[in-house]
Amino acid sequence: MQLAAGPVEGELGPSGYGGRVQHHVIVFAFDGVRLMDVAAPWRSSPPPRVTRAPTPCGCAPPAAGTSPRPPACGSRIAADVPVERVDRADTLVVPGPADLDAFRKEPALIDQVARLAATAQRVAAVCTGAFALAAAGLLRGRRATTHWEHAAELARLHPDIQVTPDAIYVQDGPVLTSAGVTAGIDVCLALVEQDLGPEAARRVARDLVVFLQRPGGQSQFSAASRTTATRHPVLRPLLDAIAADPASDHSPQALAGHAGASPRHLSRLFRDQTGSTPAAYVETMRLEAARILLEHGESVTSAARRSGLGSDETLRRTFARHLGTTPSAYAARFRTTRTAPPSTRTATP
């Protein structure tokens, strides 16, 4: 992959600069980078009447990179100059690596991120690019997010970061982090709005046919919850029973009776093995069942009844609390084209 860097010229409005200025937006590319994480900032730049610097993609910030090898998808990205020659980055955008383990074996990449960030007025990460910012010390003491699949790992490796796993993007001072892949568009739209105003951001959003501000959090896009991979002889049969028929009576008392254990002992087992209470675990599995039903065309009322959540109102409250959206909005976005009625059984390992 060839490497590049260069200025983007635009009229900066609400941010207070005024007039026509050079604003250097650098997208850092490297071996194994996710191409979509690079393309999202490129494609989210304002149209040519606002952004004036020609680049390989037509109307977007250039990339700075580190090697002639291709990104994770096997494609090659044409650029202008190697990252070592970049001495200014008003806005630095760091895409995510496809292979975090391989990325951690390249400390030189982290050094380059730290060096470029030192010249930047603000820094943004796309998806697992947050790990690069964290390794460079840029997220210490800050709020941040990343792809839902890696949020727990980010929190574990960097306890000095306040990880917000459900956010589409998080801005803490001059540092922005975003969720997986397409959330790079969301964070870049936020940057466009900050620099060029809401109308410019709306034009870009309309051009991309995306929300200017996406409703809800990233949990609604995450993979379905799965029963905990425990082999505990008391708990495993209960978890399987909840997954097989979430609408049955799974009150703490009923579960304790099935297990032949006291409610207190069972609650302790749940906390040790699942990190949750029996009631919270059952609600999570019922929520997943409702999601599956809605995705396959069931009505809100039917999904509430068949999942065990009971009423439309309970289903709405549960969706709002866990997913930050409504059942109807979720169904509109995720309903499958297939009409075969699904089982309410939730996924197991």
Side-chain angles (χ1 to χ4, degrees):
M1 180 174 58
Q2 291 184 319
L3 318 171
V8 174
E9 184 180 35
E11 296 180 0
L12 304 187
S15 53
Y17 296 102
R20 190 175 300 277
V21 299
Q22 290 278 322
H23 188 85
H24 293 249
V25 181
I26 301 301
V27 180
F28 181 59
F30 48 87
D31 288 351
V33 70
R34 290 183 186 272
L35 182 58
M36 184 65 180
D37 288 6
V38 177
W42 254 322
R43 195 62 187 87
S44 302
S45 295
R49 62 178 174 277
V50 177
T51 300
R52 292 176 159 232
T55 72
C57 289
C59 58
T66 57
S67 128
R69 286 181 285 174
C73 67
S75 300
R76 296 182 181 273
I77 302 173
D80 296 329
V81 295
V83 68
E84 290 81 5
R85 292 174 54 190
V86 179
D87 57 8
R88 176 184 173 188
D90 296 321
T91 295
L92 172 66
V93 181
V94 181
D99 186 339
L100 278 173
D101 290 335
F103 179 78
R104 293 191 187 101
K105 297 175 184 177
E106 298 288 344
L109 296 179
I110 304 302
D111 292 342
Q112 291 289 7
V113 170
R115 182 184 69 81
L116 291 171
T119 74
Q121 298 172 17
R122 66 188 174 192
V123 181
V126 180
C127 194
T128 51
F131 284 82
L133 301 195
L138 301 173
L139 297 180
R140 190 173 297 120
R142 296 186 184 276
R143 293 174 59 248
T145 193
T146 189
H147 190 284
W148 59 267
E149 195 170 25
H150 301 286
E153 183 181 11
L154 181 64
R156 179 180 60 81
L157 293 175
H158 302 279
D160 54 351
I161 300 173
Q162 183 183 341
V163 178
T164 307
D166 191 47
I168 299 297
Y169 73 88
V170 169
Q171 179 165 9
D172 189 333
V175 182
L176 298 90
T177 50
S178 61
V181 191
T182 60
I185 295 175
D186 297 83
V187 75
C188 289
L189 285 173
L191 296 177
V192 171
E193 184 170 12
Q194 289 175 19
D195 287 346
L196 303 174
E199 184 52 41
R202 275 193 290 270
R203 285 201 300 270
V204 176
R206 284 195 295 266
D207 181 54
L208 297 177
V209 196
V210 297
F211 290 107
L212 179 56
Q213 184 172 356
R214 196 187 315 201
Q218 63 169 315
S219 58
Q220 62 185 296
F221 301 95
S222 66
S225 303
R226 298 186 180 272
T227 57
T228 303
T230 178
R231 296 300 171 192
H232 193 282
V234 173
L235 204 56
R236 181 75 260 171
L238 293 182
L239 301 186
D240 289 341
I242 295 168
D245 188 6
S248 289
D249 179 8
H250 297 306
S251 64
Q253 294 75 18
L255 291 173
H258 288 304
S262 69
R264 177 176 295 183
H265 178 61
L266 187 64
S267 179
R268 190 159 50 243
L269 280 178
F270 261 86
R271 286 191 179 279
D272 291 344
Q273 299 291 320
T274 73
S276 177
T277 65
Y281 185 87
V282 170
E283 182 179 75
T284 298
M285 298 307 290
R286 286 174 172 169
L287 173 63
E288 179 178 334
R291 286 169 56 158
I292 293 171
L293 289 161
L294 290 171
E295 288 167 6
H296 285 79
E298 293 288 309
S299 68
V300 170
T301 299
S302 175
R305 176 180 55 81
R306 294 184 61 190
S307 66
L309 288 170
S311 68
D312 293 16
E313 181 57 31
T314 300
L315 184 62
R316 278 192 288 269
R317 288 200 304 267
T318 305
F319 263 67
R321 185 166 60 254
H322 290 276
L323 306 182
T325 189
T326 66
S328 297
Y330 180 89
R333 283 195 288 275
F334 295 103
R335 181 173 289 133
T336 181
T337 56
R338 294 175 294 181
T339 57
S343 165
T344 57
R345 179 181 174 88
T346 48
T348 55

